[in-house]
Amino acid sequence: MEKIIVEGGNKLKGEVNISLAKNSVLPIIVASILSPNDVVIKNAPMLEDVIVLNDLLLEMDCSIETINNRDLKINTSNLKETSMNSDLIRKMRASFLIMGPMLSRFGKCKISMPGGCNIGSRPIDLHLKGFKLLGADIEIGHGFVEAKAKKLKGNRIYLDFPSVGATENILMASVLAEGTTIIENAAEEPEIWDLANFLNSMGAKIHGAGVGKITIEGVDSLKGIEYKPIYDRVEAGTFMVAAAITKSKITINGAIEDHLRPTIEKLKECGVKFESLGEDTILVDGTGEKSPVDIKTLPYPGFPTDMQAQMMALLSICKGSSIITETVFENRFMHVAELVRMGANIKIDGRTAIIEGVDSLTGCDVKATDLRAGAAMILAGLVAHGRTEISDLYHIDRGYVDIEEKFRGLGANIYRVDK
């Protein structure tokens, strides 16, 4: 079993290069289904989730080629109209995004219920609501969802909650639909804008992505393109917290300030300083004293749930009381027990965590209970006394490219072993 070992106590310094956003790359990969021509995704991060999605497309007779160990060339001209492999679908929730483009291109899709991190229920009802309003017939049973439509037709769709996945799926389903589709209360995450920008580059007509109301004018076909997705704001935020928790100063290349505003503002409130060094480069100064802060996770542009665990690791050693309220996922405090094992003083009351800062943490054996929890364990290990051994690394590998190498490049004593 592989483990990441962290020997705490080292200051960080230098520069780190952020990878492109997993949460942009995954929907863009499935959106390539919408064109029979070549699509090249520049600098795609070869994460476990990306590999699983590629394997799914390969099983459907798509062609996928890696160019120069960094670019993905995808051709779906031979794609089969088929049911999706249930084992691969269960590995990753984002695989359900394949339904929108498949329904749009072929008029039918059958897929098993999706999997992913066990951080709470993420129902697909909003996805299916959108497909129904576009004219699809939906059948659910025996662990599968099947959608059929002779021709999708544009409609006005209001989402009860600004779900990222539902917004992406409905967006991809509607670009080839007949007429105009309007998605109201749509998710506003930067990854939504990135997907829309990718589709527009292919010839789609999408307006308003990223501002809550998206208008899509259906087109007859889309062309193949080369495209570079945006940088990963969660990875950038994780390294910002790393500078803060280790009281270090580091430069982050690939940090888009507008996308990171909620995280940056909370870290500023905590006592961290920032200096912009260019269009996507930020100097993070975490050398000063830190203050406790209160955080409430919300859909973008609120504070991201994907940064909640990392901030909790930081706040666990900030003098005073902090409160984190998780409103997005009901089961996203599994990392609390692991931080408590390291000496943190955290109490849970429903969806609220009360953190009383302690003087120090102590290294021990912990688990990456989900993707972002794994990052929090690494951050805690960076400042803990002694050795921290982190297991269940498959969660971490789903979302971070070479994370231990990047931290080693900043001076951390961190390495991976096979025990």
Side-chain angles (χ1 to χ4, degrees):
M1 177 177 64
E2 281 192 325
K3 288 187 176 183
I4 286 178
I5 310 297
V6 187
E7 300 282 356
N10 286 17
K11 292 277 189 178
L12 305 182
K13 63 179 180 179
E15 300 184 14
V16 62
N17 296 321
I18 300 303
S19 301
L20 300 188
K22 177 197 82 159
N23 290 335
S24 271
V25 171
L26 295 177
I28 285 172
I29 288 174
V30 296
S32 66
I33 291 171
L34 292 164
S35 172
N37 306 126
D38 288 345
V39 170
V40 177
I41 304 173
K42 306 291 287 184
N43 298 330
M46 294 311 295
L47 297 159
E48 183 62 29
D49 278 6
V50 173
I51 293 169
V52 169
L53 202 51
N54 287 346
D55 288 344
L56 182 60
L57 292 183
L58 287 171
E59 285 198 354
M60 298 161 62
D61 281 353
C62 297
S63 169
I64 299 180
E65 179 184 353
T66 303
I67 305 171
N68 299 325
N69 294 319
R70 61 178 188 173
D71 300 339
L72 278 182
K73 182 179 179 182
I74 303 172
N75 186 285
T76 65
S77 58
N78 293 325
L79 187 149
K80 289 180 179 178
E81 302 175 44
T82 183
S83 299
M84 307 297 108
N85 179 289
S86 59
D87 290 336
L88 292 174
I89 295 293
R90 290 192 190 105
K91 284 186 177 181
M92 181 181 58
R93 182 169 182 81
S95 56
F96 193 74
L97 293 176
I98 209 164
M99 183 163 254
M102 287 290 288
L103 183 60
S104 183
R105 180 169 165 184
F106 296 110
K108 62 180 180 179
C109 181
K110 185 178 181 181
I111 187 170
S112 62
M113 292 294 188
C117 278
N118 184 28
I119 55 176
S121 73
R122 291 183 279 181
I124 58 173
D125 58 319
L126 294 179
H127 302 241
L128 302 183
K129 173 185 176 180
F131 296 153
K132 286 180 181 178
L133 287 171
L134 293 173
D137 294 322
I138 307 295
E139 184 176 340
I140 302 175
H142 305 290
F144 280 86
V145 179
E146 186 170 12
K148 293 181 180 179
K150 289 184 178 180
K151 177 64 178 177
L152 296 178
K153 294 185 178 181
N155 202 346
R156 183 180 291 269
I157 301 166
Y158 178 84
L159 298 180
D160 300 327
F161 177 83
S163 160
V164 173
T167 300
E168 291 170 339
N169 230 343
I170 297 166
L171 184 62
M172 290 185 285
S174 60
V175 290
L176 299 179
E178 182 181 299
T180 300
T181 299
I182 297 174
I183 309 174
E184 295 180 301
N185 198 31
E188 300 181 18
E189 274 75 359
E191 294 79 15
I192 299 294
W193 172 88
D194 204 24
L195 174 61
N197 192 49
F198 169 75
L199 292 169
N200 282 339
S201 299
M202 297 174 76
K205 295 182 179 179
I206 303 167
H207 309 280
V211 295
K213 181 179 178 180
I214 305 175
T215 302
I216 308 104
E217 299 174 38
V219 298
D220 293 331
S221 62
L222 298 178
K223 64 183 179 181
I225 58 164
E226 289 191 0
Y227 189 80
K228 180 183 176 182
I230 58 175
Y231 291 107
D232 193 321
R233 61 192 171 101
V234 180
E235 183 185 6
T238 299
F239 279 96
M240 288 177 176
V241 176
I245 201 168
T246 60
K247 294 188 175 181
S248 303
K249 186 184 293 189
I250 64 173
T251 299
I252 301 177
N253 301 315
I256 304 174
E257 192 168 345
D258 284 347
H259 297 174
L260 286 154
R261 180 59 54 202
T263 299
I264 288 174
E265 291 306 316
K266 274 300 168 185
L267 285 170
K268 282 183 176 179
E269 189 179 333
C270 192
V272 182
K273 296 179 181 178
F274 295 84
E275 180 183 350
S276 177
L277 301 181
E279 184 178 352
D280 53 24
T281 299
I282 297 176
L283 175 65
V284 185
D285 183 352
T287 56
E289 289 301 312
K290 309 299 184 304
S291 302
V293 298
D294 293 344
I295 292 171
K296 184 177 184 179
T297 66
L298 290 165
Y300 191 89
F303 189 88
T305 181
D306 280 352
M307 284 300 304
Q308 179 254 105
Q310 299 93 308
M311 284 296 294
M312 188 179 291
L314 169 62
L315 296 176
S316 70
I317 58 167
C318 290
K319 291 182 179 179
S321 301
S322 299
I323 298 174
I324 295 180
T325 304
E326 173 61 55
T327 74
V328 180
F329 294 122
E330 75 275 12
N331 196 28
R332 204 158 199 181
F333 282 149
M334 292 187 293
H335 51 277
V336 169
E338 305 303 306
L339 287 171
V340 169
R341 283 172 57 81
M342 299 179 73
N345 184 359
I346 306 170
K347 300 290 189 298
I348 301 296
D349 182 7
R351 289 197 174 197
T352 299
I354 301 98
I355 305 112
E356 296 289 344
V358 297
D359 292 334
S360 62
L361 300 175
T362 303
C364 64
D365 292 352
V366 292
K367 293 180 180 179
T369 53
D370 62 65
L371 169 54
R372 306 308 173 185
M377 294 305 103
I378 292 175
L379 294 172
L382 291 175
V383 291
H385 293 300
R387 170 182 293 201
T388 301
E389 297 193 9
I390 307 164
S391 60
D392 291 2
L393 302 187
Y394 60 90
H395 285 302
I396 297 173
D397 293 340
R398 289 185 50 239
Y400 291 93
V401 178
D402 300 329
I403 190 166
E404 62 269 26
E405 283 87 347
K406 290 182 178 181
F407 272 115
R408 266 203 310 276
L410 293 170
N413 187 353
I414 179 174
Y415 50 95
R416 184 178 295 232
V417 298
D418 192 356
K419 286 196 171 185

